[in-house]
Amino acid sequence: EVQLVESGGGLVQPGRSLKLSCVASGFTFNNYWMTWIRQAPGKGLEWVASITNTGGSTYYPDSVKGRFTISRDNAKSTLYLQMNSLRSEDTATYYCTRTVSPYWGQGVMVTVSS
Amino acid sequence: DVVMTQTPPSLSVAIGQSVSISCKSSQSLVYSDGKTYLHWLLQSSGRSPKRLIYQVSNLDSGVPDRFSGTGSQKDFTLKISRVEAKDLGVYYCAQTTHFPLTFGSGTKLEIK
């Protein structure tokens, strides 16, 4: 059974950093691109970052480029999202996905507030 | 960026009826490999989104054939036949042809 389990969310002050993790199981992790997608409270879905299966290439929208870094450790079947210079508009539930596949994590809440 | 225009924003339907949701993209979603990476997702209340249909018309495992997807290039439709109570939630279209990946704004399906 495919499982994606996120962790690392919480309340953080504006300008501070937070690192999310997503542990994958039930599939060959290093065969797949992975993606973070977020959803602000009561809002729709927004793509945050994607990474190729080897980790050799990463992709970001302008809204997070230069502040967020996606990475992976294929030996640990773990995906990461390092979030720096956080803003109030980054407040959202963050989902780890096997890139818009049927497989999504349960989501982890990040709240940016003073 | 590819803008995904999804309509209607909400639908109220009786059990057993059929509904259609439209998704139009601002650019063609045909990738260089000839495939069209337009997908449909359902987010039930309080749950993570779940993909129902990939590449326009392919049902994911376990998705009943009451769901169907059609379309090409820039114009796509999700149809749900014989709506059941468990179908309620917010439906999103999503494109993964172009970066940045983008989503429609969602259609909330309510049961009358």
Side-chain angles (χ1 to χ4, degrees):
Chain A
E1 178 193 8
V2 172
Q3 285 197 315
L4 298 166
V5 180
E6 301 102 333
S7 61
L11 173 63
V12 62
Q13 293 179 328
R16 303 299 292 265
S17 299
L18 204 61
K19 186 173 186 176
L20 306 182
S21 300
C22 170
V23 177
S25 61
F27 65 100
T28 305
F29 184 70
N30 59 13
N31 281 354
Y32 293 90
W33 286 43
M34 296 295 293
T35 292
W36 289 96
I37 291 168
R38 69 184 179 185
Q39 186 172 37
K43 301 296 185 182
L45 302 170
E46 181 187 16
W47 170 63
V48 174
S50 294
I51 187 167
T52 57
N53 60 313
T54 61
S57 294
T58 56
Y59 304 87
Y60 307 92
D62 289 345
S63 57
V64 308
K65 194 177 295 181
R67 299 188 300 122
F68 289 12
T69 302
I70 188 172
S71 62
R72 64 193 296 160
D73 184 336
N74 283 345
K76 296 182 177 179
S77 296
T78 302
L79 179 72
Y80 302 100
L81 184 68
Q82 176 69 47
M83 303 184 292
N84 298 332
S85 303
L86 282 162
R87 306 167 179 168
S88 58
E89 55 263 37
D90 297 319
T91 293
T93 297
Y94 286 72
Y95 295 102
C96 162
T97 86
R98 210 176 77 180
T99 309
V100 196
S101 73
Y103 307 111
W104 294 59
Q106 82 285 0
V108 61
M109 185 68 199
V110 172
T111 303
V112 183
S113 175
S114 55
Chain B
D1 297 4
V2 178
V3 177
M4 306 294 286
T5 302
Q6 190 177 334
T7 56
S10 65
L11 280 171
S12 182
V13 61
I15 299 295
Q17 298 297 304
S18 296
V19 295
S20 291
I21 299 170
S22 171
C23 180
K24 297 183 189 295
S25 59
S26 59
Q27 301 176 30
S28 170
L29 298 185
V30 180
Y31 189 55
S32 55
D33 62 4
K35 297 180 181 179
T36 301
Y37 293 92
L38 182 284
H39 321 289
W40 290 96
L41 313 172
L42 166 62
Q43 187 173 31
S44 302
S45 181
R47 306 289 297 272
S48 302
K50 167 189 169 184
R51 195 181 71 183
L52 302 175
I53 290 174
Y54 64 98
Q55 292 175 35
V56 182
S57 60
N58 299 286
L59 267 61
D60 276 295
S61 176
V63 175
D65 60 7
R66 300 183 294 101
F67 290 85
S68 62
T70 59
S72 63
Q73 300 287 334
K74 298 166 57 177
D75 196 349
F76 305 93
T77 301
L78 172 68
K79 182 177 181 180
I80 311 171
S81 302
R82 304 181 305 281
V83 167
E84 299 182 5
K86 61 185 177 182
D87 298 337
L88 67 87
V90 181
Y91 290 82
Y92 294 94
C93 59
Q95 68 82 20
T96 56
T97 298
H98 306 283
F99 280 113
L101 310 186
T102 49
F103 297 85
S105 53
T107 295
K108 185 173 185 178
L109 180 65
E110 298 173 319
I111 307 298
K112 282 182 182 175

